[in-house]
């Protein structure tokens, strides 16, 4: 049975509301405890914990996360446009900035891969 547009839209809004609530909770925790970690990172850790403990199934937030991922470029356009104001900085230190971006991206990819591998190995004995 195919879902109606109203049903689809209401589920999408509910999923986005859950993701926003987790983000805001992470921001609030960062502010309350004066942690130097951004609220978005804390929110992602909370979401990971919710997935790991089975409180939330990843499929339950799939549509909302998919929409945010599809529109991610819109979140970065203001940052890219501000680069036009800093042409001198890019000429002088652009290679250092690119090096930091490249190394940090590689580190994130490696940590993500090892985390996924660890979770799969930890879950495998429980499923057998």
């Amino acid at each position: 049975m195919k879902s109606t547009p109203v049903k689809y839209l209401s589920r999408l809004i509910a999923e986005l509301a859950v993701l926003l609530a987790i983000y805001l909770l992470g921001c609030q925790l960062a502010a309350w405890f004066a942690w130097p970690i951004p609220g978005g990172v804390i929110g992602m850790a909370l979401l990971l914990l919710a997935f790991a403990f089975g409180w939330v199934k990843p499929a339950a937030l799939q549509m909302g996360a998919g929409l945010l991922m599809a529109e991610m470029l819109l979140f970065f356009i203001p940052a890219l446009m501000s680069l036009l104001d800093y042409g001198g900085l890019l000429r002088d230190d652009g290679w250092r900035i690119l090096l930091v971006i490249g190394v940090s991206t590689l580190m994130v990819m490696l940590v993500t891969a090892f985390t996924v591998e660890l979770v799969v190995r930890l879950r495998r004995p429980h499923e057998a």
Side-chain angles (χ1 to χ4, degrees), residues 18-30 35 37-51 61:
V18 169
L19 291 170
L20 180 62
I22 292 171
Y23 165 74
L24 292 174
L25 178 61
C27 289
Q28 195 61 48
L29 287 173
W35 288 338
I37 303 168
V41 173
I42 295 171
M44 284 195 309
L46 292 172
L47 186 60
L48 178 64
L49 286 173
F51 288 157
L61 300 175

Side-chain angles (χ1 to χ4, degrees), residues 44-113:
M44 284 195 309
L46 292 172
L47 186 60
L48 178 64
L49 286 173
F51 288 157
F53 287 115
W55 299 331
V56 177
K57 300 288 183 206
L61 300 175
Q62 189 171 7
M63 285 192 320
L67 176 72
L68 292 175
M69 291 295 289
E71 304 302 328
M72 189 180 284
L73 183 60
L74 292 175
F75 299 120
F76 291 108
I77 287 176
L80 293 175
M81 294 306 293
S82 67
L83 286 178
L84 297 176
D85 295 335
Y86 297 100
L89 175 69
L90 291 178
R91 277 190 296 280
D92 297 339
D93 297 319
W95 69 273
R96 290 182 186 139
I97 294 169
L98 287 176
L99 180 66
V100 168
I101 291 171
V103 169
S104 63
T105 300
L106 181 63
M107 289 174 61
V108 166
M109 290 168 55
L110 287 173
V111 168
T112 302

